[in-house]
Amino acid sequence: MKEFFAGKRVLVTGGTGSIGSEIVRRLLACGPETVRVFSRDETKQFLLAQELGERPDLRWLIGDVRDPDRLRRAMRRVHFVFHAAAMKHVPACEYNPFEAVLTNVVGTQNIIHAAIDAGVEKVISVSTDKAVDPSSTMGATKLLAERIVSSAYRFVPEVRLATVRFGNVLGSRGSILPLVTSQVEKGGPVTLTSPEMTRFVMPIEKAAWLVLKACTMAWGGETFILRMPAVRIADLLPVLIEILAPRFGKDPGAIRIETIGKRAGEKIHESLLSEEEAERVESHPQMFVVRPVSSETTSRLAASEYQSGAATPLAPDEIRTLLAESGLA
């Protein structure tokens, strides 16, 4: 991977977000010529710059993926683009649907147009399992973004376009952890939407690794999906309370869990693949690779491999291990 990115010029949209900033950190370790951090939040750029320090291989670009002219300027002489900018919060997208369309759908289209104009070699777009059979505005817009990427490669062979899709990233701003941490700090209650709810989870480091790995592997039109474990949220919350409560001087046994019902657009279970995609997927030890629609069927997976409700959920001890691997325990 270091050889692949060494000496290259790379643009990361949403580069100050949870996933985007981790991609930036990993890219810098590979010896690129420059990494351009593109985002619209100057405060987050300042904070990340303070963390990373002053260095000649970093560029800080204020901009919005809704602005095609700004994207064209940002992509000049760039080899690779990692597109992590998005509206990611389900309630925010549900109550501001057209804003989600402008960022997640139109923004992705702008990325592709700018990449064509700039002669970019590869574009890797970051997506979510909520794009599979979506029930929310966020999921629907990310599905459209995926379809834009997967179809564009057929008409733009000079730019290799692919998507990376994963479940809930532990420790990211959109994950359950910041909310639970805040609730535990206040002494509870910790809210649970549904006792039956399951989710696929992964450490942020693995999510970033998959994005970079996909860039090295992409030929065009693929969707890369990291294999990840499923967890029942009702099993995850007690472990989080057990870990977090002592940090705030709280008694874990005194913090209760309150069921509030699922939010607008939420599913009880998530899927990494649709039924149709499962018919044209390649199964690798660490990931699934969904080939373009025109590809021949390569395998057929059991639902337990890609549906959180059908998968065997992690036991509490396994959850603790996963949280420790994520640096959260």
Side-chain angles (χ1 to χ4, degrees):
M1 205 175 284
K2 286 186 176 181
E3 292 178 357
F4 186 84
F5 292 109
K8 300 295 186 179
R9 294 178 292 276
V10 187
L11 176 73
V12 183
T13 73
T16 56
S18 303
I19 300 296
S21 62
E22 186 64 24
I23 292 171
V24 169
R25 293 183 192 97
R26 286 183 167 256
L27 282 169
L28 291 173
C30 295
E33 179 182 317
T34 54
V35 176
R36 301 177 186 179
V37 181
F38 184 97
S39 72
R40 60 184 182 180
D41 192 322
E42 60 180 312
T43 300
K44 290 179 183 175
Q45 284 201 8
F46 172 78
L47 294 173
L48 186 59
Q50 291 293 106
E51 174 198 328
L52 299 176
E54 188 173 338
R55 46 191 303 163
D57 53 1
L58 266 177
R59 301 287 185 274
W60 302 95
L61 306 179
I62 297 293
D64 195 317
V65 293
R66 300 182 183 190
D67 183 348
D69 290 333
R70 180 61 176 135
L71 282 173
R72 288 189 185 96
R73 292 193 296 274
M75 282 192 203
R76 286 175 182 167
R77 300 178 62 245
V78 161
H79 295 99
F80 307 128
V81 174
F82 293 99
H83 175 37
M87 283 184 64
K88 305 178 181 73
H89 290 271
V90 170
C93 293
E94 210 62 34
Y95 299 124
N96 303 276
F98 195 63
E99 296 302 310
V101 170
L102 289 174
T103 296
N104 295 351
V105 181
V106 178
T108 300
Q109 186 69 55
N110 291 339
I111 290 285
I112 293 171
H113 285 163
I116 295 169
D117 292 344
V120 169
E121 293 178 19
K122 290 188 179 185
V123 176
I124 306 299
S125 183
V126 175
S127 190
T128 168
D129 57 1
K130 290 178 174 58
V132 180
D133 300 326
S135 62
S136 65
T137 300
M138 193 275 270
T141 57
K142 294 301 285 184
L143 172 61
L144 282 171
E146 286 190 8
R147 295 295 171 86
I148 289 170
V149 171
S150 65
S151 63
Y153 90 98
R154 288 177 287 178
F155 307 103
V156 194
E158 64 272 22
V159 181
R160 294 182 181 179
L161 300 143
T163 295
V164 175
R165 181 195 298 159
F166 37 69
N168 290 275
V169 177
L170 293 170
S172 69
R173 295 188 187 107
S175 73
I176 192 174
L177 186 64
L179 173 62
V180 174
T181 301
S182 173
Q183 292 173 337
V184 170
E185 184 177 10
K186 295 174 183 176
V190 171
T191 54
L192 170 66
T193 51
S194 168
E196 291 79 34
M197 185 169 284
T198 61
R199 289 292 182 266
F200 286 107
V201 294
M202 66 188 306
I204 196 168
E205 295 82 6
K206 286 190 176 180
W209 172 85
L210 174 61
V211 176
L212 268 61
K213 184 68 175 176
C215 189
T216 68
M217 297 173 62
W219 285 94
E222 305 99 334
T223 300
F224 297 87
I225 306 162
L226 191 68
R227 289 177 176 272
M228 60 194 79
V231 63
R232 289 178 68 246
I233 303 303
D235 294 335
L236 175 64
L237 292 184
V239 177
L240 285 175
I241 292 170
E242 173 190 310
I243 292 170
L244 294 170
R247 298 181 185 178
F248 302 109
K250 308 291 184 182
D251 176 10
I255 297 176
R256 64 187 179 86
I257 296 174
E258 178 182 329
T259 302
I260 59 172
K262 67 186 184 73
R263 300 174 297 179
E266 275 192 323
K267 291 181 180 180
I268 296 297
H269 308 295
E270 297 283 6
S271 296
L272 294 173
L273 300 163
S274 67
E275 289 288 338
E276 181 268 335
E277 288 174 325
E279 297 179 355
R280 51 187 170 86
V281 64
E282 289 181 2
S283 184
H284 296 263
Q286 294 178 305
M287 67 177 74
F288 303 116
V289 181
V290 180
R291 295 299 177 185
V293 174
S294 57
S295 301
E296 294 182 3
T297 299
T298 54
S299 66
R300 181 70 188 178
L301 302 176
S304 60
E305 292 193 65
Y306 61 90
Q307 292 179 355
S308 65
T312 301
L314 294 177
D317 285 345
E318 293 173 311
I319 294 173
R320 292 186 189 92
T321 300
L322 180 64
L323 292 172
E325 290 175 354
S326 307
L328 304 175

